[in-house]
Amino acid sequence: MLLIMWKQMLSSYFSFTKKERTGIFILLSFVVVFILLPFAYPLFIKTKQPAASAFQKEIAQLKIQQQDSSNAYTGNYVEDTYAPYTQPSEKNYNDYKPKGELFYFDPNTASVNDWQRLGLKDKTIATIQKYLSKGGHFYKAEDIGKIWGMHADEIARLLPYIKIALKENNYPQKKFETKNFDKPKKSPSLIDINTADTSSLIALPGIGSKLAQRIINFRDKLGGFYKVEQVAETFGLPDSTFQKIKARLTLNNATIKQLNINTATVDEMKSHPYIRYALANAILQYRTQHGNFTAVADIKKIMLVTDEMYAKLEPYITIQ
C-alpha cells in the first residue's frame, strides 16, 4: 500500500504533458547554445593582429615626443647631483671684475664723483642718488646691499671701506611731565535690607537671582529684619558670601510686622520662621489654660521658649 502511494506521488511530480515537454526541450536547447557560444565566437569572427613594425614605430614616436618635451624645459636636473641646471647665457657674470679706487667713504654723503671713483656704474649711482633724495638713509654698512643692480663682488669689495657717521638729531627734545591723577574712589552703595528688591540684591557680590529671592521671601515671612545679621539666616546663603556683602547692608527702616499672641491662630503663628507649629500649639494651649498673656515676657513661661529664642522672637510679638 505504501509503495503504491509513493509511485502515485512520483508520477504526479514527474509526469508532463506534451506542451510541457516541448517547453523543457526548447529551454534546454537555449542553455546549451549560450554555453557553447563563447567557444564558437573565434571560429566565425577573426581579430586582426597588430603588425609588429607598426607597433615599434608608435613606440619610437612616443620616445621622440618625450625627449622633445624634456629638452624644452630649461630647469633640467643632473642625474648624479640632482642640482638644477640652467642653460648658459652669453654673459658670464662670474667673470665680473670690479674696477675703481678704494677709499673710506660715507654712502649717505658721497658725491657722484666719489661713486664713479669707486667704480660704480652710472645707472647704479643714479639709483643711489634717487634713494637718498626720497629720504632714504644707510644706517649700517650692510644696507648698501639693498641697492638694486650692485653685484655681490662689488658689495664685498666696498664693505670694509664704508664708515657711516652717526645721525644727529637736531630737534629740541621735549620734556614731558607726567602727572599722577588720583582716581576718585567710589564708595560702594549701601542697600537697605528691608526695602531692597531682587535687582538691588543681585548687584551684591556672590548673590544671584535665587539667593536674592530667598532673602526677600525670608524677610516677608519674618515681617521684616530688625538687624543686619538676620540676613545670614537665609537658607542656602554661605557664611563666606554674607561676610563679603555685610559691609554693604544697612537698616534704615526697622519697622516690622508683629503678631498678637493673644489673638493669632495656630496657622498664623506657625508660618513665622521663629515660631513654627510646636511653639504655636504651645502658645494656644497656654492661652486656653491660663487666659491671655498679660505681658510679652510671659511667653517665657512656656518650656519650649529659651532665652535665646525669646531674644529672637521678642521684636515680632505683641499682646495688643
Side-chain angles (χ1 to χ4, degrees), residues 58-78:
E58 290 181 2
I59 294 297
Q61 185 66 26
L62 288 173
K63 289 182 178 180
I64 292 171
Q65 292 178 0
Q66 184 178 4
Q67 185 176 1
D68 292 342
S69 62
S70 62
N71 290 336
Y73 180 69
T74 57
N76 296 327
Y77 285 86
V78 181

Side-chain angles (χ1 to χ4, degrees), residues 83-210:
Y85 172 78
T86 55
Q87 297 291 338
S89 59
E90 296 179 0
K91 296 181 180 180
N92 190 354
Y93 293 99
N94 293 328
D95 295 338
Y96 173 79
K97 294 181 180 180
K99 299 178 181 179
E101 303 177 36
L102 288 174
F103 54 88
Y104 293 104
F105 67 98
D106 186 344
N108 292 309
T109 59
S111 63
V112 176
N113 186 32
D114 293 335
W115 290 113
Q116 289 175 349
R117 287 173 57 197
L118 290 167
L120 267 67
K121 297 178 182 179
D122 293 339
K123 189 174 183 181
T124 305
I125 297 172
T127 302
I128 295 172
Q129 296 298 319
K130 187 176 181 181
Y131 170 73
L132 294 173
S133 63
K134 289 187 175 181
H137 189 82
F138 296 99
Y139 294 95
K140 56 183 183 294
E142 290 77 8
D143 289 347
I144 199 171
K146 299 178 182 178
I147 299 300
W148 185 85
M150 292 192 69
H151 196 271
D153 293 341
E154 197 170 38
I155 295 170
R157 185 177 68 94
L158 298 177
L159 274 177
Y161 295 92
I162 297 174
K163 288 187 176 182
I164 299 175
L166 295 176
K167 189 176 181 181
E168 295 181 358
N169 187 2
N170 296 324
Y171 296 102
Q173 296 182 353
K174 295 182 179 179
K175 295 182 179 179
F176 296 95
E177 296 181 359
T178 57
K179 295 182 179 180
N180 296 325
F181 296 95
D182 295 331
K183 294 182 179 180
K185 295 181 180 179
K186 294 183 178 179
S187 58
S189 58
L190 298 177
I191 295 176
D192 190 337
I193 56 176
N194 271 342
T195 58
D197 54 10
T198 53
S199 59
S200 301
L201 294 172
I202 290 173
L204 296 171
I207 301 298
S209 58
K210 289 184 178 180

